[in-house]
């Protein structure tokens, strides 16, 4: 559901770029890094980045389509702490949405390969709910279990923001083509609730699953989130965002480090002025991050 794959640029955040931020990683108390993309496993030297982070005792999570897990299984098992794969449905639906024949089989083989290298390696799935899979959410959860995944989370497709290479947002017809049929979605949420898996194998509670329905009905209520105060998103270009959905408030470049950006007047003003409960981007947000302050 992102449009990053449409870009023709080959920009990467290199090991050298990361090394230049080493002092700031310590200064800012960075304890957890999530590697995303596009497809992070297409990075030309991803595990050099991991080595730098691991030397600083930073936890590393990888978000992946799952298509390249088998190829990189030994290195993932050595350098990554956990993997979250995108799962779009049970096998046939997943393959159709991905547009890749045998995509589900490739994902499953990757899970097996990872577990052969590290038997208890944590691997979970994330399913973006949209029109083409909304009638198959229970089957998706069952497919995740059958594939040996440790759990699954569901989130609504983002219909309105400019995130993930969508300047100006989607046109109305594109958003409509992704919007689920509400009755089918409601039936599947009820089916998931009936399994007793919610809050356990399914990460979301029944209340959070119903928030997905409300999102597509246009009833937008901001989630509990403090992402802009506890994290930042660094893009391959060096631009820094307070989260995936808000615009960048600065850029890492020669003479300007990550801490310089995060502690800049622009970033401070953004955090001081942001009211998550009333901000339109936050109210329409499909995900959230909340980290308890460490005192």
């Amino acid at each position: 559901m992102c449009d990053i794959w449409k870009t023709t640029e080959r920009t990467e955040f290199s090991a050298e770029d990361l090394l230049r931020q080493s002092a700031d990683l310590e200064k800012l108390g960075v304890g957890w890094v999530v590697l995303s993309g596009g497809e992070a496993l297409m990075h030309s030297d991803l595990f050099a980045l991991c080595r730098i982070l691991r030397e600083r005792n930073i936890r590393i999570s990888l978000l992946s389509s799952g298509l390249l897990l088998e190829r990189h299984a030994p290195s993932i098992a050595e350098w990554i702490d956990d993997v979250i794969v995108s799962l779009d449905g049970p096998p046939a639906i997943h393959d159709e949405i991905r547009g890749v024949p045998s995509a589900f089989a490739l994902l499953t083989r990757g899970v097996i390969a990872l577990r052969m290298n590290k038997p208890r390696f944590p691997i979970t799935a994330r399913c973006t709910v949209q029109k083409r899979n909304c009638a198959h959410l229970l089957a998706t959860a069952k497919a995740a279990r059958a594939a040996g995944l440790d759990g699954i989370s569901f989130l609504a497709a983002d219909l309105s923001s400019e995130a993930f290479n969508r300047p100006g947002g989607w046109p109305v017809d594109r958003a409509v083509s992704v919007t689920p049929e509400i009755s089918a979605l409601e039936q599947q949420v009820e089916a998931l609730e009936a399994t007793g898996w919610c809050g356990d194998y399914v990460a979301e509670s029944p209340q959070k699953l119903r928030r997905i329905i409300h999102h597509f009905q246009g009833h937008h209520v901001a989630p509990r989130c403090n992402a802009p105060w506890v994290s930042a998103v660094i893009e391959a270009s060096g631009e820094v965002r307070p989260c995936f959905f808000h615009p960048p408030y600065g850029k890492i470049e020669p003479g300007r480090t990550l801490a310089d950006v995060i502690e800049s007047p622009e970033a401070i003003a953004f955090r001081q002025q942001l009211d998550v409960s009333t901000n339109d981007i936050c109210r329409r947000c499909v995900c959230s991050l909340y980290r308890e302050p460490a005192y």
Side-chain angles (χ1 to χ4, degrees):
M1 289 290 95
C2 83
D3 288 341
I4 293 174
W5 61 274
K6 292 181 179 179
T7 184
T8 57
E9 297 180 5
R10 297 288 298 176
T11 306
E12 290 185 337
F13 195 82
S14 68
E16 290 74 20
D17 293 329
L18 183 57
L19 278 171
R20 283 193 285 271
Q21 308 306 317
S22 294
D24 283 5
L25 296 178
E26 182 174 349
K27 176 182 178 181
L28 295 168
V30 176
W32 191 350
V33 167
V34 179
L35 302 171
S36 182
E39 173 55 66
L41 289 173
M42 292 180 68
H43 190 283
S44 63
D45 202 6
L46 181 70
F47 299 105
L49 300 179
C50 295
R51 191 176 299 110
I52 294 167
L53 297 171
R54 181 59 62 79
E55 288 171 352
R56 288 153 181 82
N57 297 314
I58 294 173
R59 174 179 171 179
I60 307 170
S61 295
L62 171 69
L63 307 187
S64 174
S65 67
L67 299 177
L68 299 176
L69 292 182
E70 183 179 26
R71 182 186 306 177
H72 296 287
S75 295
I76 294 171
E78 180 178 3
W79 295 106
I80 304 288
D81 292 293
D82 66 282
V83 169
I84 303 170
V85 295
S86 297
L87 183 62
D88 292 313
I93 300 296
H94 179 77
D95 292 358
E96 176 192 334
I97 290 175
R98 287 279 137 186
V100 178
S102 302
F104 186 88
L106 287 169
L107 186 157
T108 302
R109 280 164 41 189
V111 172
I112 293 170
L114 272 172
R115 294 275 168 68
M116 288 180 66
N117 281 271
K118 197 170 184 178
R120 296 188 178 181
F121 189 90
I123 317 169
T124 57
R126 179 172 293 159
C127 177
T128 301
V129 178
Q130 48 130 315
K131 186 171 186 175
R132 293 162 73 184
N133 64 14
C134 68
H136 307 279
L137 302 189
L138 177 57
T140 303
K142 290 181 176 179
R145 292 195 81 154
L149 297 169
D150 297 311
I152 186 169
S153 64
F154 293 93
L155 76 162
D158 169 31
L159 304 179
S160 60
S161 84
E162 298 187 6
F164 310 112
N165 194 38
R166 300 191 308 195
W170 274 341
V172 173
D173 58 345
R174 171 63 171 149
V176 169
S177 74
V178 171
T179 302
E181 180 186 341
I182 297 300
S183 61
L185 178 56
E186 288 177 331
Q187 290 173 4
Q188 287 297 296
V189 167
E190 290 173 1
L192 285 170
E193 291 175 357
T195 64
W197 295 351
C198 296
D200 185 16
Y201 189 78
V202 174
E204 288 74 26
S205 65
Q207 180 182 8
K208 286 189 175 181
L209 285 177
R210 293 194 172 274
R211 186 175 180 270
I212 296 175
I213 299 173
H214 299 157
H215 170 80
F216 289 119
Q217 290 175 322
H219 305 316
H220 300 300
V221 178
R224 186 187 191 204
C225 180
N226 62 357
W229 292 271
V230 300
S231 67
V233 174
I234 306 172
E235 299 191 342
S237 63
E239 287 189 313
V240 181
R241 295 175 180 264
C243 70
F244 283 107
F245 299 96
H246 281 282
Y249 49 39
K251 184 175 183 179
I252 298 170
E253 51 195 349
R256 197 175 194 213
T257 68
L258 176 59
D260 291 337
V261 174
I262 290 177
E263 297 170 352
S264 68
E266 295 83 0
I268 292 171
F270 173 85
R271 292 191 292 270
Q272 288 177 336
Q273 296 167 13
L274 179 63
D275 181 347
V276 171
S277 65
T278 60
N279 181 272
D280 193 52
I281 291 176
C282 295
R283 290 178 61 247
R284 294 173 180 271
C285 186
V286 298
C287 68
S288 66
L289 170 68
Y290 188 83
R291 302 282 291 174
E292 294 288 351
Y295 296 111

